[in-house]
């Protein structure tokens, strides 16, 4: 009888093993489950050229009627500059080419970031449509400069839509890199009802009656 | 019980005003003594969505006055005293800070925001100075005064593009109009495209006084409305009324009915004309009618270069753009609350051929509390209803009579027959005038800013798709 019970237990165990145990790693758990990922922090080119990025701190929306708009800090990062950002060159940040706005030439510009000491005194060019950052030392991988204080004016010359700041660091006619955040111009024109025309009529009037007296009747 | 009445005669009598319930309201018109040759005229004025952006432009009300001596029937045009921005003796009233701008011919004044801002403008007790002697009046004269106010939009001085470089029919060759010297032949390369000069490449230079759009001017924000037309018509003499009766069939024709025809609701047989839709664009206006209300209002017709500037502003052109600066257009399927003054459109941004109902709509119907320029169908400056609705009637550069236009303003007075009588304006036969920006009877391509297929077309009669809009050269020194 005892031998019979052992055989039954072994058979039950074998069946359980075949069906899958209820307390193995498949049923264990912890925190932070279910999702993981990684992404490039900034845009990279796929053409084998230099890896340089331009990014503003955030998106910026403005009305075309605004007198000016202060831009978020804008950064330039060199991940694999491939000797394209070198001493004697210029990093040129431009307003969107299809808008006629320009940078405020009176804005106080500051340059920061780990590579700030590789940039000379900034200046505006092309009637304020470009900010020039002269490079005084070759950029290395991981170099970042951040420009603060930029403003744009003449927003009334911007059509409604979304555009991007442009960065030139080669001699090309088109931008090498576009801002990763957009500028959005909103052109709003409001209206109501009962529009446009008003009229009013006076009662008959004279301008002057001689005398200036007061008559009282009791 | 004692009963006391007092009659105070303090050298001044006051008169209460009567107002029409328009969004742009001028009320409480009064006159009062000033000196032997001048008097004060006082009024309140208010409208919504007034703006002043000193980097772009502003809107304004053009206010002018008609005077009728008691025991006479003729309304005469009031000439003001003084000129400039906030002339001596004027009062800017109480409320929103405003500027009063009196042009040199003193036939009216602009009221605009004095400071940057947008929203409702409301000001009371605005006071202007009236030159009594200009009309042969004295302090003893007893008069009725009627104030009229029309909303205008400032178009700033500056270069602009004539022509878009697109495929519009008979369009100007793209040219940058870069100077108000209209004799400067286009040459070289303009900042906004094409050559640069005082008139478009391929055209004939007009006379030296021809307004080529470079200089600043004010443009009516909307087309003439039925209410505006009726208020004008009802102040005419009987003889003048007969000649401007758009409900008849004589002279320049008309709708030949006092009923509703093609949505025009104006009715008149005698006395005062009436309308069921004061805020709707007024159709059946011949050139003859349009220039009459322009002259009577102290305004003038625009030129077709001013028209393109008023649409496109100072932006570079977009090929084949509509007046709102893009190449997208959509149709309205119906109107809600029609003829109430608060009508709204279901869909669309332009009243053109596919729209329903078929006919003019409330002026400014596409502009709402949240609309974009494209949604409002607005020009760069905020002028509404340029595209579609009713034909615009600019003076053309494409005809010698049009090129003889000098840009003189109306003086507020018509001939005894009701004819505009300003030197240099195209006459009642409409030779020298043309058509721009399409109408509700026409397909979309006609509404493009640079379409000129009818820019020099001559057609004098009243038609159900003809309207009018006038402008005035900005007084010297007025900036956005």
């Amino acid at each position: 009888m005892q031998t019979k019970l052992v055989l039954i237990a072994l058979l039950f165990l074998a069946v359980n093993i075949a069906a899958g145990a209820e307390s193995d790693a498949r049923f264990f758990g912890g925190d932070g489950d279910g999702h993981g990922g990684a992404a490039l922090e900034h845009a990279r080119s796929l053409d084998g050229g230099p890896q340089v990025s331009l990014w503003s701190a955030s998106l910026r929306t403005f009305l075309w009627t605004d007198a000016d708009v202060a831009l978020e800090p804008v950064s330039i990062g060199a991940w694999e500059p491939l000797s394209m950002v070198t001493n004697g060159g210029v990093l040129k940040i431009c307003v969107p080419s299809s808008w006629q706005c320009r940078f405020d030439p009176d804005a106080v510009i500051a340059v920061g970031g780990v590579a700030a000491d590789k940039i000379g005194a900034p200046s505006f060019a092309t009637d304020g449509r470009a900010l020039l950052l002269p490079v005084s030392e070759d950029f290395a991988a991981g170099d970042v400069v951040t420009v603060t204080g930029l403003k744009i004016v003449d927003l009334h010359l911007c059509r409604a839509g979304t555009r991007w700041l442009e960065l030139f660091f080669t001699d090309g006619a088109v931008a090498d890199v576009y801002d990763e955040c957009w500028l959005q111009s909103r052109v709003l024109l409001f209206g109501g009802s009962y529009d446009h025309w008003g009229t009013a009529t006076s009662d008959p009037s004279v301008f002057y009656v001689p005398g200036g007296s007061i008559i009282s009747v009791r | 019980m004692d009963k006391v009445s007092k009659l105070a005669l303090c050298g001044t009598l006051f008169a209460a005003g009567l107002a029409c319930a328009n969004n742009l309201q001028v009320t409480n018109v009064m006159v009062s003594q000033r000196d032997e040759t001048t008097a004060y005229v006082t009024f309140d004025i208010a409208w919504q969505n007034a703006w002043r952006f000193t980097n772009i432009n502003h809107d304004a009300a053009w206010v002018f006055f008609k005077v009728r001596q008691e025991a006479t029937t003729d309304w005469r045009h009031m000439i003001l005293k003084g000129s400039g921005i906030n002339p001596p003796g004027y009062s800017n009233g109480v409320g929103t800070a405003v500027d009063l701008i009196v042009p040199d011919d003193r036939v009216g004044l602009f009221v605009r925001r004095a400071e940057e801002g947008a929203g409702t403008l409301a000001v009371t007790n605005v006071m202007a100075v009236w030159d009594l002697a200009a009309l042969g009046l004295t302090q003893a004269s007893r008069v009725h005064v009627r104030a009229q106010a029309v909303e205008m939009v400032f178009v700033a001085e500056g270069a602009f593009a004539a022509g878009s470089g697109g495929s519009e029919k008979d369009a100007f060759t793209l040219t940058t109009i870069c100077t108000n010297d209209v004799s400067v032949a286009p040459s070289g390369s303009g900042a906004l495209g094409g050559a640069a000069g005082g008139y478009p490449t391929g055209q004939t230079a007009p006379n030296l006084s021809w307004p080529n759009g470079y200089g600043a001017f004010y443009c009516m924000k909307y087309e003439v409305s039925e209410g505006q037309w009726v208020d004008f018509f009802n102040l005419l003499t009987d003889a003048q009324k007969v000649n401007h009766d758009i409900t008849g069939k004589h002279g320049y024709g008309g709708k030949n009915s006092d009923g509703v025809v093609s949505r025009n609701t104006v009715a008149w047989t005698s006395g005062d004309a009436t309308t069921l839709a004061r805020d709707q664009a007024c159709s059946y206006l011949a050139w003859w009618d349009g220039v009459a209300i322009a002259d009577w209002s102290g305004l003038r017709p625009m030129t077709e270069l001013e028209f393109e500037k008023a649409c496109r502003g100072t932006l570079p052109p977009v090929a084949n753009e509509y007046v709102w600066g893009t190449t997208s257009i959509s149709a309205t399927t119906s109107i809600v609350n029609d003829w109430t003054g608060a009508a709204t459109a279901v869909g669309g941004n332009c009243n053109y051929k596919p729209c329903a109902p078929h006919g003019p709509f409330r002026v400014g119907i596409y502009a709402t509390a949240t609309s974009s320029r494209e949604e409002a169908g607005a020009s760069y400056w905020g002028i509404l209803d340029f595209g579609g609705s009713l034909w615009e009637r600019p003076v053309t550069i494409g005809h010698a009579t049009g090129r003889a236009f000098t840009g003189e303003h109306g003086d507020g007075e018509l001939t005894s027959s009701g004819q505009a009588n300003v030197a240099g304006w195209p006459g009642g036969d409409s030779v020298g005038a043309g058509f721009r920006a399409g109408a509700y009877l026409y397909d979309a391509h006609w509404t493009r800013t640079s379409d000129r297929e009818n820019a020099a077309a001559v057609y004098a009669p009243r038609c159900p798709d003809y309207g009018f809009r006038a402008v005035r050269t900005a007084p010297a020194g007025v900036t956005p």
Side-chain angles (χ1 to χ4, degrees):
Chain A
M1 182 62 185
Q2 194 171 18
T3 303
K4 193 174 181 180
L5 288 174
V6 170
L7 288 173
I8 291 171
L10 289 172
L11 179 61
F12 182 77
L13 180 61
V15 170
N16 268 344
I17 290 171
E22 292 186 350
S23 60
D24 62 30
R26 294 173 302 158
F27 305 111
F28 301 156
D31 298 328
D33 292 335
H35 181 262
L40 285 171
E41 188 176 0
H42 298 290
R44 306 291 180 92
S45 67
L46 300 175
D47 60 2
Q51 300 285 7
V52 176
S53 301
L54 176 72
W55 70 94
S56 292
S58 66
L59 309 177
R60 194 76 169 87
T61 298
F62 58 86
L63 295 175
W64 74 306
T65 51
D66 291 340
D68 59 41
V69 59
L71 296 182
E72 299 291 335
V74 57
S75 300
I76 300 169
W79 319 123
E80 294 178 34
L82 301 182
S83 300
M84 299 295 286
V85 184
T86 56
N87 182 18
V90 173
L91 293 167
K92 183 166 70 172
I93 300 173
C94 293
V95 296
S97 56
S98 58
W99 282 350
Q100 280 65 55
C101 58
R102 58 193 174 88
F103 292 121
D104 181 353
D106 297 326
V108 178
I109 305 301
V111 179
V114 297
D117 56 357
K118 296 182 177 181
I119 297 294
S123 62
F124 292 102
T126 324
D127 194 27
R129 292 180 56 78
L131 173 71
L132 305 183
L133 302 171
V135 179
S136 57
E137 186 179 332
D138 294 356
F139 268 45
D143 276 349
V144 174
V145 293
T146 299
V147 178
T148 57
L150 279 172
K151 288 182 177 180
I152 50 176
V153 294
D154 288 347
L155 305 175
H156 60 288
L157 300 177
C158 301
R159 292 184 183 278
T162 302
R163 300 289 185 275
W164 296 262
L165 293 176
E166 301 172 359
L167 174 66
F168 295 76
F169 56 89
T170 65
D171 293 330
V174 297
D176 295 297
V177 174
Y178 292 88
D179 191 358
E180 295 170 11
C181 292
W182 71 58
L183 293 168
Q184 187 175 59
S185 169
R186 301 181 69 208
V187 179
L188 305 179
L189 288 160
F190 304 139
S193 48
Y194 303 99
D195 287 334
H196 84 96
W197 174 254
T199 185
T201 307
S202 73
D203 289 338
S205 303
V206 295
F207 316 112
Y208 176 71
V209 176
S213 57
I214 297 177
I215 302 170
S216 298
V217 181
R218 293 180 184 273
Chain B
M1 184 173 66
D2 288 337
K3 184 175 181 180
V4 178
S5 66
K6 294 181 179 179
L7 176 61
L9 302 174
C10 302
T12 304
L13 289 183
F14 301 98
L18 304 172
C20 293
N22 281 332
N23 174 271
L24 171 56
Q25 297 185 50
V26 55
T27 53
N28 296 326
V29 180
M30 298 181 290
V31 292
S32 57
Q33 178 194 8
R34 183 169 185 260
D35 58 33
E36 290 185 354
T37 59
T38 63
Y40 289 117
V41 55
T42 307
F43 59 94
D44 302 340
I45 191 166
W47 73 95
Q48 298 168 346
N49 300 304
W51 76 87
R52 186 171 184 199
F53 302 118
T54 53
N55 58 336
I56 305 174
N57 75 331
H58 56 266
D59 70 346
W62 170 244
V63 184
F64 56 97
F65 306 91
K66 298 292 178 179
V67 183
R68 180 171 64 83
Q69 276 191 275
E70 206 164 45
T72 69
T73 56
D74 291 354
W75 288 88
R76 306 285 308 282
H77 197 89
M78 179 186 292
I79 302 299
L80 301 175
K81 188 80 173 180
S83 62
I85 302 175
N86 302 319
Y90 286 60
S91 171
N92 302 70
V94 178
T96 309
V98 295
D99 284 329
L100 309 178
I101 304 169
V102 183
D104 288 342
D105 59 7
R106 299 175 288 130
V107 299
L109 74 158
F110 290 103
V111 180
R112 72 164 182 193
R113 282 180 174 273
E115 298 165 352
E116 190 94 3
T120 297
L121 179 155
V123 58
T124 59
N125 292 314
V126 175
M127 189 177 285
V129 181
W130 172 13
D131 184 353
L132 291 175
L135 288 181
L137 299 174
T138 68
Q139 287 181 314
S141 303
R142 187 172 172 84
V143 295
H144 293 265
V145 173
R146 191 173 179 100
Q148 318 278 352
V150 59
E151 192 170 353
M152 310 280 286
V153 175
F154 184 77
V155 177
E157 179 183 272
F160 68 100
S164 79
S167 57
E168 302 95 331
K169 193 114 185 249
D170 300 327
F172 291 133
T173 299
L174 175 57
T175 307
T176 298
I177 305 300
C178 64
T179 172
N180 57 11
D181 183 347
V182 77
S183 69
V184 176
S187 65
S189 181
L192 297 171
Y199 60 92
T201 300
Q203 301 295 318
T204 301
N207 84 85
L208 290 175
S209 299
W210 202 82
N212 71 349
Y214 183 88
F217 61 97
Y218 283 94
C219 179
M220 283 173 58
K221 185 174 181 180
Y222 312 99
E223 295 163 331
V224 171
S225 70
E226 290 195 3
Q228 187 176 356
W229 176 258
V230 165
D231 287 346
F232 154 74
F233 183 88
N234 290 343
L235 296 192
L236 300 180
T237 66
D238 288 345
Q240 292 169 331
K241 284 179 177 175
V242 168
N243 290 324
H244 287 296
D245 176 21
I246 64 173
T247 70
K249 62 178 180 179
H250 302 296
Y252 290 101
K255 66 178 187 174
N256 193 25
S257 170
D258 287 316
V260 177
V261 177
S262 298
R263 290 179 56 79
N264 181 299
T265 75
V266 175
W268 180 73
T269 51
S270 64
D272 284 349
T274 60
T275 169
L276 301 174
R278 284 189 60 85
D279 299 277
Q280 179 171 283
C282 188
S283 56
Y284 285 102
L285 298 184
W287 172 261
W288 153 274
D289 301 311
V291 290
I293 194 171
D295 185 357
W296 182 85
S297 303
L299 303 174
R300 65 168 173 82
M302 74 181 86
T303 67
E304 57 173 325
L305 280 177
E306 288 179 316
F307 166 77
E308 291 212 16
K309 168 83 169 286
C311 292
R312 183 174 289 127
T314 54
L315 296 178
V318 171
N320 302 314
E321 66 188 319
Y322 296 108
V323 301
W324 44 90
T326 73
T327 55
S328 299
I329 188 171
S330 58
T332 296
T333 55
S334 64
I335 300 291
V336 178
N337 298 322
D338 207 4
W339 295 350
T340 64
T344 56
V346 178
N349 70 340
C350 178
N351 182 7
Y352 66 118
K353 191 173 182 179
C355 290
H358 221 43
F361 299 160
R362 174 176 72 78
V363 295
I365 196 167
Y366 295 113
T368 69
T370 59
S371 48
S372 68
R373 177 183 169 190
E374 181 176 287
E375 290 165 340
S379 86
Y380 172 83
W381 308 99
I383 301 164
L384 297 174
D385 306 328
F386 256 147
S389 186
L390 303 171
W391 283 102
E392 304 295 333
R393 304 298 307 274
V395 175
T396 184
I397 197 173
H399 190 282
T401 303
R403 291 192 294 273
F405 179 66
T406 60
E408 288 290 315
H409 293 118
D411 62 359
E413 303 284 356
L414 305 177
T415 68
S416 60
S417 65
Q419 184 175 12
N421 56 352
V422 183
W425 288 15
D429 60 6
S430 83
V431 174
F435 299 82
R436 284 294 202 103
Y440 72 87
L441 289 173
Y442 287 80
D443 289 321
H445 75 270
W446 297 88
T447 72
R448 290 177 174 144
T449 299
S450 291
D451 188 290
R452 294 186 68 245
E453 189 167 355
N454 281 338
V458 176
Y459 200 71
R462 300 183 176 105
C463 290
D465 52 337
Y466 290 7
F468 203 81
R469 182 190 319 249
V471 302
R472 176 171 255 275
T473 302
V478 177
T479 60

